[in-house]
Amino acid sequence: MKNIVCACLLLLLNVAASAASNVVEQLPVLAADIRHGQLTNGLKYFIKANASPAAKVELRLIVNAGSMSEAKEERGVAHLLEHMAFRRTKHFSPQQLKAFLESQGMRIGSDFNAFTSNENTIYQISVASDAAPQALQLLADWAAGIELDAAELELEREVVLDEGRQSQWSTDFYQSLFKVMYPQERYHLQMAIGDVDVVKNIPLAKIKAFYQREYQAQRMAVIVAGDVDPLEVEEKIKVLFADVAKGDLPNGYPIPAASPGLRFFSHRDVWSIAHPVVGWGWILPAELSWSVDTELAYFKRGLLGDLIHQRLLSQAASKESPILEASWVNGHGLSLPTRQPEFSFSVMVKDKQMKKALQALYREFERAKRFGFTQQELDQTFAKWQKLQATQLNHLDWAFLLQMHVQYGQSARDLAGSLQQKKILFAAIKPEDLQAELKRLLGLPDQLATVLLPLR
């Protein structure tokens, strides 16, 4: 009996030691000097002091409300409201708003930016540091102080309709893509540009109702990155945004269920390509949090993508190959309208050999699945990543990192922290782990094959 007890204890100790060796350390996802918090109304804020470029600052207001919040009779109102935000607000008359933007080197209609997507409306401006208090007031007005004028609405309808005409090809493309990606969802019906009849005729009262209903504090985040005093900015945010109404709408939209089986998407007359392009990709489940497991999986896909990309480029070097060029993506906010990440490969096709190119692409997956990768390949890829890492982050870089953190939970570390985390993750990965990850991906639902043809 004593021998059995000892054997069991030794087994338990070995299991515990094995489990401990598999634990991967995760560093804090935010750089230590990022000042962040949440107001009592639910609005979140993130402030990053950054020295270069001097006397400049980037500001963002992210509202988790987009065209998916629109009823059928409201299609286009989220985008129309975004346009009206630059007409007048509680603290800026039309003349004052125009004067402020122009004083910062921006022109209405071109240099400043805001955009509406299926799930978000994002306002972003760049100003001199001494204009940051005014810029924060403007962001606060966009959050809860947009003033809607009937005569200005008629002018803005024409601007939005013209924008719709100019972007018709893009709208048609993504509408077709979303219909294939999400056949059971409304994304293809809820394009941000909206319905022409709605944009032409929706009453002012319905735009106000949408604004009051959807712009709620718990769905908002403010980002400030630049040459500022974080404490001063924080105090300003606490005062200016305190009265933004808190509501009961969820902060985010439901994630679509996976669609089983391979789907196929093709589109003609794609103006942005000179040769046919074929692709293969995955629509992956959205992460509930940026846990160490999530970050490790993301890192594995990054290595996997780069390794397969290098093999595809080697193929392209052969005269017999149907492939001219190859690319890959791994991340959020690329072509998907949801918070889901995508992982995909695209190859430019030689001499209209679309079928052969698609077969060559998938064959490379099968070859890697069967034979895997070498440690030397992994080491060379990671060494390349280290060489390519930036040496400095500017205000735009930090604004982008924080925006990705707000929207998708991703990390916003400084360069040293980012590199250290990558080294930790790389040390935990073996070639067979990437082979296993590829096998897992090839067995998942939500795979999409694409064929795109250039203008005839």
Side-chain angles (χ1 to χ4, degrees):
M1 181 69 180
K2 183 177 179 182
N3 289 338
I4 293 174
V5 171
C6 290
C8 289
L9 286 173
L10 283 171
L11 178 63
L12 288 171
L13 288 170
N14 286 335
V15 169
S18 176
S21 67
N22 290 328
V23 172
V24 178
E25 179 189 4
Q26 185 179 37
L27 304 179
V29 296
L30 292 178
D33 61 346
I34 293 173
R35 196 159 189 87
H36 60 99
Q38 185 170 353
L39 305 186
T40 55
N41 58 11
L43 181 142
K44 296 177 181 177
Y45 61 87
F46 300 84
I47 308 160
K48 175 66 175 78
N50 197 53
S52 180
K56 294 287 185 180
V57 60
E58 294 288 331
L59 301 100
R60 308 284 185 269
L61 172 66
I62 300 174
V63 186
N64 287 335
S67 60
M68 286 299 286
S69 292
E70 299 165 347
K72 184 177 180 180
E73 65 276 10
E74 295 176 325
R75 287 175 181 165
V77 68
H79 182 225
L80 190 53
L81 174 62
E82 171 230 302
H83 274 251
M84 293 298 293
F86 290 89
R87 286 286 179 176
R88 69 170 70 217
T89 69
K90 182 177 179 180
H91 294 93
F92 292 82
S93 69
Q95 296 78 17
Q96 289 171 328
L97 186 48
K98 181 174 183 291
F100 173 65
L101 293 172
E102 289 182 348
S103 73
Q104 300 304 309
M106 295 177 280
R107 293 172 296 166
I108 288 184
S110 72
D111 293 325
F112 70 87
N113 201 6
F115 56 92
T116 304
S117 64
N118 292 83
E119 297 191 350
N120 306 99
T121 305
I122 299 176
Y123 300 90
Q124 54 186 38
I125 52 175
S126 306
V127 301
S129 296
D130 59 6
Q134 285 176 281
L136 282 169
Q137 179 65 75
L138 183 55
L139 260 63
D141 280 5
W142 287 334
I146 300 173
E147 294 188 345
L148 302 173
D149 176 84
E152 291 168 352
L153 174 59
E154 295 309 310
L155 296 172
E156 209 58 46
R157 289 186 204 272
E158 293 304 316
V159 175
V160 172
L161 289 169
D162 185 57
E163 187 177 314
R165 286 187 288 269
Q166 293 183 36
S167 62
Q168 188 61 55
W169 181 90
S170 177
T171 300
D172 292 344
F173 176 86
Y174 282 103
Q175 200 164 31
S176 301
L177 178 62
F178 294 168
K179 191 172 184 178
V180 173
M181 282 179 164
Y182 302 102
Q184 308 301 321
E185 305 293 337
R186 296 182 297 119
Y187 289 99
H188 66 287
L189 299 173
Q190 303 286 141
M191 303 302 290
I193 200 66
D195 180 272
V196 170
D197 289 335
V198 172
V199 175
K200 282 182 177 179
N201 300 303
I202 190 166
L204 188 71
K206 286 197 173 182
I207 300 175
K208 287 182 178 178
F210 179 89
Y211 183 38
Q212 293 167 356
R213 184 184 80 219
E214 300 295 333
Y215 277 48
Q216 298 181 0
Q218 81 282 0
R219 308 177 95 184
M220 298 181 181
V222 174
I223 293 170
V224 180
D227 191 4
V228 294
D229 182 329
L231 289 175
E232 289 182 6
V233 172
E234 182 180 41
E235 289 306 310
K236 198 77 174 173
I237 289 172
K238 287 179 178 179
V239 172
L240 294 177
F241 292 86
D243 293 333
V244 179
K246 180 179 182 178
D248 55 7
L249 292 176
N251 181 22
Y253 294 83
I255 300 298
S259 298
L262 174 68
R263 278 152 296 149
F264 179 74
F265 172 71
S266 64
H267 204 84
R268 290 183 174 275
D269 296 328
V270 179
W271 63 268
S272 58
I273 58 176
H275 298 271
V277 172
V278 300
W280 198 284
W282 289 263
I283 303 170
L284 299 167
E287 303 93 352
L288 296 177
S289 66
W290 195 251
S291 65
V292 66
D293 289 338
T294 297
E295 191 160 9
L296 185 60
Y298 193 94
F299 189 80
K300 283 180 184 177
R301 291 198 305 271
L303 282 172
L304 191 58
D306 208 332
L307 288 165
I308 292 176
H309 178 237
Q310 292 303 317
R311 292 182 175 185
L312 290 170
L313 291 180
S314 295
Q315 274 198 49
S318 168
K319 290 182 179 180
E320 290 75 30
S321 174
I323 296 173
L324 279 172
E325 185 57 87
S327 61
W328 63 282
V329 297
N330 174 43
H332 299 88
L334 301 165
S335 61
L336 303 184
T338 70
R339 298 194 308 280
Q340 296 166 279
E342 66 175 295
F343 182 56
S344 63
F345 295 85
S346 297
V347 295
M348 191 181 295
V349 178
K350 188 187 299 180
D351 300 327
K352 299 182 180 180
Q353 301 179 72
M354 282 80 76
K355 183 178 179 180
K356 287 185 177 180
L358 197 57
Q359 289 172 334
L361 173 59
Y362 200 82
R363 248 193 327 268
E364 202 56 67
F365 298 156
E366 288 292 339
R367 186 166 77 91
K369 172 186 170 183
R370 183 177 178 186
F371 299 108
F373 306 92
T374 67
Q375 185 62 50
Q376 183 181 19
E377 285 180 290
L378 269 67
D379 291 341
Q380 289 173 344
T381 298
F382 190 60
K384 180 184 70 176
W385 284 10
Q386 293 183 81
K387 286 182 181 179
L388 292 175
Q389 175 156 313
T391 56
Q392 186 177 14
L393 296 177
N394 61 30
H395 308 336
L396 279 170
D397 296 328
W398 277 112
F400 175 76
L401 286 173
L402 289 169
Q403 182 176 322
M404 296 298 282
H405 175 74
V406 168
Q407 292 185 265
Y408 308 111
Q410 291 184 198
S411 62
R413 301 185 181 100
D414 58 26
L415 291 174
S418 177
L419 181 57
Q420 184 182 354
Q421 184 65 71
K422 287 174 183 174
K423 288 180 177 179
I424 292 169
L425 296 173
F426 184 71
I429 294 173
K430 298 177 182 178
E432 53 265 33
D433 296 330
L434 298 186
Q435 189 176 9
E437 176 66 6
L438 181 57
K439 288 178 181 178
R440 186 187 73 84
L441 287 168
L442 290 172
L444 288 178
D446 267 349
Q447 296 188 46
L448 183 71
T450 59
V451 175
L452 307 179
L453 301 176
L455 285 169
R456 286 170 285 189

